[in-house]
Amino acid sequence: MTDINSRFEKAIIAVKQLPERPDNDTMLQLYALFKQGSAGDVSGKKPGFFDFVGVAKYEAWERLKGLPPDDAKKQYVDLVAYLGDSIDD
């Protein structure tokens, strides 16, 4: 496993153990970076208008279209570290 993949996997675990829940905008950013890092560009049909959470998630991920997955993984790791957990422990 490459270094970025290993750090990404550790960050996925660490984010669940943050001392407090991040605000909604940060949660959307984490979601979008996770999806871009693990699945690549947005796929599937955009959720319906009344699925507010689904639409917000889809649009956050869609904004990252074209970002290479390894770059998204690095940004995810950096954001989790900024929020309070060291990934290298």
Side-chain angles (χ1 to χ4, degrees):
M1 188 181 309
T2 65
D3 181 54
I4 190 59
N5 288 333
S6 174
R7 295 183 75 223
F8 184 64
E9 293 298 324
K10 289 177 183 177
I12 291 168
I13 294 166
V15 77
K16 296 174 185 170
Q17 300 167 351
L18 290 172
E20 55 185 64
R21 185 186 186 280
D23 62 73
N24 289 339
D25 288 337
T26 304
M27 290 294 288
L28 280 173
Q29 187 176 5
L30 285 166
Y31 172 82
L33 289 168
F34 170 80
K35 291 296 284 183
Q36 188 71 17
S38 58
D41 286 341
V42 69
S43 60
K45 187 177 175 185
K46 186 175 181 177
F49 178 75
F50 291 106
D51 181 359
F52 303 114
V53 173
V55 169
K57 288 177 159 183
Y58 185 94
E59 289 177 350
W61 183 15
E62 187 176 43
R63 284 191 291 274
L64 298 181
K65 187 174 183 176
L67 180 68
D70 281 350
D71 290 353
K73 289 177 184 178
K74 182 180 182 327
Q75 289 181 32
Y76 183 89
V77 168
D78 291 346
L79 181 54
V80 172
Y82 173 79
L83 292 172
D85 266 300
S86 175
I87 306 304
D88 295 321
D89 290 353

